Amino acid sequence: MSLKHKDRDPNILDEPQSNDGLNRRGFLKCMAWAGTGLLWTVTAEGIPTSHIFGGSKESKKAESGLHFVQISDSHMGFNKPANTDVVSTLQATVDKINCLSERPEFIIHTGDLSHQSKPAEFDTMDQILQSAQPKQIFYVPGEHDTSVDDGKQYLDRYGKETKGKGWYSLNHKGVHFVGLVNVIQLEGMGQLGEEQIAWLKDDLSGVSASTPVVVFAHIPLWSVYPDWGWGTEDGEQAVAYLKRFGSVTVLNGHIHQVMQKVEGNATFHTAMSTAFPQPAPGAAPAPGPMKVPAERLRSVLGLADVHYLQQNHSLAIVDSSLAPAPADSQERHSSASLLAEIRRSAKGLNQWK
């Protein structure tokens, strides 16, 4: 399956450590992450509530039965005005993962590891992620990982034990995980295809309705904004097989921003990119890399920190940026003014290549 095991990097902790695994240098680095992000707790009834990440409530909820991190859209090889150093921002993401108060058991990467499917881009991705403390990484491809060679290189590296074009499932601590591929032969909307949907039906048929299910794929399974291809054409067929489960979480990337939807017992969530933001749906003539002021870039990049809380069968997602917005701009960047800024700076987007 799309999984990589790796040894611990001996250079991560090179000074005397405390009981929490952090040395003095690591502690100072981790202090930069305090207070960023919002914690979403989704109850068994599908009702989301939220509070600020880093508060006392969050620290109590961190005592979870399962803890993992989602990252997405790293675009190794991208070098345009929207971010001229994607290696640095991916490394910052790894540093933040290593600073979490509870070490994640694994990382899920929801695609676009590379920008042009080049061997050197995948090599760079692997090299950076070697410094992450979680020992397992699960992948699904994005369209930038498959567009050049129909995903052959991606499968050779990350999908040797998967089915079809890279889909698979696994069970961990009472949770059923399903990795789907909806980017092969991409034309407009994402597509799963009949073979994969038939496999999904068969895979889920042996899973109890009381088992929490986590599905992850690159393009959102729900229709975020079809005019930009932000959705999966046959996603509803896949979602139909998930409706009998009491707790379903769908994790996606592709749109480089956080969006959430709750439908019945299913929570749909898209993650920030580690490379560059994209405009809000309909806020620009077309989707694409969006340049923001350099001092704000890391405040619109980040990761999703996920806990499964066994005691009340709920799942908590913390969307955490790489850095808070600059202090001198926080007031003027309210939701309304930020959207206006996005619309202004998104004109003339054509930086994909």
Side-chain angles (χ1 to χ4, degrees):
M1 64 187 64
S2 297
L3 160 65
K4 282 206 170 183
H5 295 267
K6 55 187 180 53
D7 297 328
R8 232 175 115 237
D9 188 336
N11 297 318
I12 294 297
L13 298 175
D14 55 359
E15 295 179 4
Q17 305 172 28
S18 64
N19 291 333
D20 62 6
L22 287 177
N23 58 18
R24 181 170 59 86
R25 183 183 306 170
F27 172 77
L28 293 174
K29 179 187 291 185
C30 291
M31 285 297 290
W33 307 134
T36 62
L38 188 68
L39 174 65
W40 283 90
T41 301
V42 183
T43 68
E45 293 77 22
I47 302 172
T49 60
S50 63
H51 50 81
I52 298 298
F53 176 44
S56 58
K57 288 185 179 180
E58 184 276 331
S59 60
K60 291 180 181 178
K61 290 181 182 293
E63 298 175 1
S64 58
L66 172 63
H67 177 205
F68 64 93
V69 168
Q70 177 197 5
I71 61 175
S72 198
D73 296 274
S74 298
H75 288 272
M76 292 295 99
F78 180 86
N79 184 18
K80 296 290 183 180
N83 187 351
T84 59
D85 192 358
V86 295
V87 171
S88 177
T89 50
L90 178 59
Q91 184 61 62
T93 305
V94 170
D95 291 342
K96 184 160 190 175
I97 292 171
N98 291 343
C99 287
L100 294 172
S101 59
E102 180 187 351
R103 181 178 297 184
E105 296 174 45
F106 53 85
I107 297 170
I108 288 177
H109 196 301
T110 46
D112 278 355
L113 290 68
S114 67
H115 193 62
Q116 294 182 324
S117 302
K118 294 181 178 179
E121 295 172 353
F122 290 120
D123 289 344
T124 301
M125 162 68 64
D126 292 343
Q127 182 178 1
I128 295 172
L129 291 181
Q130 282 179 1
S131 63
Q133 291 181 1
K135 296 180 180 180
Q136 295 181 334
I137 305 176
F138 297 93
Y139 299 93
V140 286
E143 74 276 9
H144 285 266
D145 303 317
T146 63
S147 58
V148 174
D149 59 357
D150 201 29
K152 183 180 183 302
Q153 195 166 177
Y154 167 87
L155 287 173
D156 287 345
R157 287 177 179 253
Y158 309 105
K160 291 182 179 179
E161 300 178 21
T162 61
K163 309 291 185 181
K165 294 291 186 178
W167 52 84
Y168 59 99
S169 67
L170 64 141
N171 297 300
H172 185 68
K173 289 191 173 181
V175 179
H176 188 66
F177 290 83
V178 182
L180 297 178
V181 178
N182 55 0
V183 296
I184 303 297
Q185 298 179 341
L186 184 65
E187 295 181 6
M189 300 271 282
Q191 189 168 359
L192 296 165
E194 293 181 2
E195 179 186 0
Q196 186 173 191
I197 291 175
W199 170 86
L200 176 65
K201 178 182 178 182
D202 181 66
D203 177 77
L204 294 175
S205 65
V207 181
S208 167
S210 62
T211 300
V213 177
V214 175
V215 177
F216 54 103
H218 181 62
I219 299 174
L221 288 186
W222 55 294
S223 293
V224 175
Y225 196 66
D227 287 353
W228 285 359
W230 286 4
T232 301
E233 185 175 338
D234 48 5
E236 289 186 4
Q237 296 181 51
V239 172
Y241 294 126
L242 297 168
K243 289 184 177 179
R244 69 181 180 89
F245 295 95
S247 173
V248 176
T249 303
V250 180
L251 303 176
N252 302 121
H254 188 59
I255 69 173
H256 296 221
Q257 59 198 280
V258 173
M259 295 195 73
Q260 301 209 24
K261 172 187 175 182
V262 177
E263 183 176 295
N265 291 333
T267 300
F268 299 81
H269 179 275
T270 62
M272 288 179 278
S273 165
T274 71
F276 52 81
Q278 290 203 65
M290 184 180 71
K291 188 178 186 303
V292 298
E295 68 274 12
R296 294 196 58 247
L297 176 60
R298 296 194 179 201
S299 70
V300 292
L301 307 178
L303 55 90
D305 187 20
V306 185
H307 296 259
Y308 171 60
L309 310 175
Q310 291 180 327
Q311 64 272 25
N312 58 359
H313 301 286
S314 65
L315 189 134
I317 302 175
V318 178
D319 290 300
S320 188
S321 60
L322 297 185
D328 61 351
S329 64
Q330 285 179 350
E331 290 188 6
R332 60 188 178 89
H333 287 304
S334 62
S335 297
S337 63
L338 178 57
L339 180 57
E341 178 184 325
I342 287 174
R343 285 174 173 153
R344 288 195 301 271
S345 41
K347 293 181 180 179
L349 291 170
N350 188 18
Q351 302 182 47
W352 283 114
K353 297 182 179 180

